[in-house]
Amino acid sequence: MRLSALLIGLMVAMPALSATWNIKYPRPMSDEDSRHQYPLQLLEKALEKTGVKYQLTPTDKILLQSKALKQLKGNREVSVVWSMTDEQREEEYLPIRIPIYKGLIGMRIPLVRKADEDLLKYVQSMEKLNLFSPLSGHDWPDTKILQANGFAVVTEENYEQLFTQLAAGKGDFFPRSVVEVWQELGKHENLISESHIALHYPTAMYFFVNKNNQSLARLIESGLEKLISSGEFEQLFLAAHQQSLTKAELDKRRIFRLDNPVLPAATPLARDELWHQPKSPD
């Protein structure tokens, strides 16, 4: 009787093991949108580590982050979204708590207009820095963080329009992650990186899945943990971002440390291997 039950169990499990996981992610805004390259590469390698058969494909249409998250919440169109975390997102979605960018999504280099190259050169205090208005996405966790630290934030729904707004003088600077800023600058010739300061706040970008999709969350987490253990995560991270870190010259900047009141308590800050810690003068 027990043998029969075991055989039945194996017969049920075998199709699940051989099935193909169809995983959809938000289609980027354009073929030139390079922000998807590293997260996708990391996700692909994590899935490969699990040994499952998978098909990773973009959605049929372009989805802005806010739309992609809505679709993910409703379990429609999208299987996985990568996004910066906050308390609300971790309540509504299921996070895989391994920081994709090892925390560098919170190390921000200000973009400014070319005419404002030295705009922040003599800013020595948060009180003075708060006199300038940053731009940020209206539904981004960054916006909540900036506002909580005393900034009057100029918001915009469309990512590309934020650069246009800055160029038009609608705000003073646009703080961009050190792992994104140089690729973005290459597409906006009328903007430059401010070279004297940086902002830093503790945060993480995670892969998120639907709240009820525990199996996919475990699959992705298992693959990422295997990449960490083998050292491949660190190799991939440095291959993708070491040049950006070198170019940022963080050791020559005044780094303003911001509080993050929306950082979830479950953030794995105690796992040193998950975070990159750039050196700075302070």
Side-chain angles (χ1 to χ4, degrees):
M1 187 68 178
R2 290 181 180 176
L3 181 59
S4 298
L6 179 60
L7 288 172
I8 292 171
L10 286 172
M11 290 172 67
V12 171
M14 283 177 66
L17 289 172
S18 60
T20 298
W21 290 70
N22 293 308
I23 302 169
K24 283 207 166 188
Y25 63 90
R27 180 178 291 277
M29 294 186 65
S30 69
D31 293 336
E32 290 75 38
D33 188 352
S34 58
R35 293 175 297 160
H36 282 61
Q37 292 177 1
Y38 168 72
L40 270 179
Q41 188 179 12
L42 182 61
L43 182 57
E44 286 174 351
K45 288 189 175 296
L47 292 170
E48 287 170 6
K49 277 291 182 182
T50 66
V52 302
K53 296 178 182 178
Y54 71 92
Q55 186 174 20
L56 189 60
T57 55
T59 53
D60 293 333
K61 56 187 177 183
I62 294 170
L63 293 178
L64 297 177
Q65 181 174 271
S66 57
K67 178 67 173 179
L69 287 169
K70 286 179 182 177
Q71 296 299 85
L72 184 66
K73 187 175 182 179
N75 204 24
R76 298 185 299 270
E77 291 189 82
V78 184
S79 311
V80 62
V81 171
W82 46 93
S83 180
M84 210 173 102
T85 193
D86 64 12
E87 292 172 335
Q88 181 178 347
R89 286 184 181 172
E90 293 201 16
E91 288 176 3
E92 296 181 353
Y93 311 95
L94 188 58
I96 293 91
R97 293 190 181 93
I98 296 175
I100 296 172
Y101 289 100
K102 303 193 73 170
L104 284 183
I105 204 70
M107 181 63 74
R108 298 280 165 151
I109 305 295
L111 293 186
V112 296
R113 293 174 289 277
K114 282 188 174 181
D116 293 336
E117 181 178 3
D118 292 328
L119 181 70
L120 307 174
K121 182 175 182 179
Y122 300 106
V123 175
Q124 300 286 341
S125 68
M126 276 298 301
E127 182 182 10
K128 296 295 185 184
L129 189 58
N130 282 151
L131 297 176
F132 299 90
S133 296
L135 292 100
S136 186
H138 89 282
D139 61 343
W140 295 0
D142 310 90
T143 301
K144 301 174 188 175
I145 296 169
L146 292 166
Q147 289 170 337
N149 284 271
F151 289 101
V153 184
V154 178
T155 62
E156 167 63 47
E157 182 174 359
N158 186 286
Y159 161 75
E160 290 292 346
Q161 281 298 313
L162 285 161
F163 299 95
T164 304
Q165 295 279 49
L166 177 61
K170 301 298 184 182
D172 297 310
F173 68 96
F174 185 14
R176 301 304 296 141
S177 164
V178 67
V179 297
E180 300 170 322
V181 64
W182 310 117
Q183 293 172 331
E184 292 173 335
L185 270 181
K187 296 181 287 185
H188 300 278
E189 296 181 357
N190 51 348
L191 304 177
I192 59 171
S193 64
E194 200 282 336
S195 59
H196 303 97
I197 76 162
L199 308 180
H200 179 260
Y201 38 87
T203 189
M205 180 175 282
Y206 295 144
F207 292 115
F208 286 89
V209 300
N210 181 273
K211 197 75 173 178
N212 297 317
N213 203 344
Q214 298 277 348
S215 56
L216 180 57
R218 286 193 296 269
L219 185 73
I220 296 173
E221 183 177 20
S222 171
L224 290 173
E225 291 288 5
K226 288 178 180 178
L227 288 176
I228 293 167
S229 297
S230 69
E232 292 170 84
F233 193 123
E234 180 71 4
Q235 292 171 10
L236 181 63
F237 171 80
L238 290 176
H241 305 304
Q242 185 59 67
Q243 186 175 356
S244 294
L245 285 167
T246 301
K247 192 171 183 177
E249 296 186 309
L250 294 172
D251 59 328
K252 297 181 180 178
R253 295 173 179 269
R254 291 187 300 281
I255 298 181
F256 289 86
R257 308 287 179 180
L258 275 57
D259 295 327
N260 183 355
V262 296
L263 186 70
T267 306
L269 296 173
R271 290 188 63 185
D272 291 343
E273 73 274 20
L274 300 184
W275 307 92
H276 183 79
Q277 299 293 340
K279 294 180 180 179
S280 65
D282 57 338

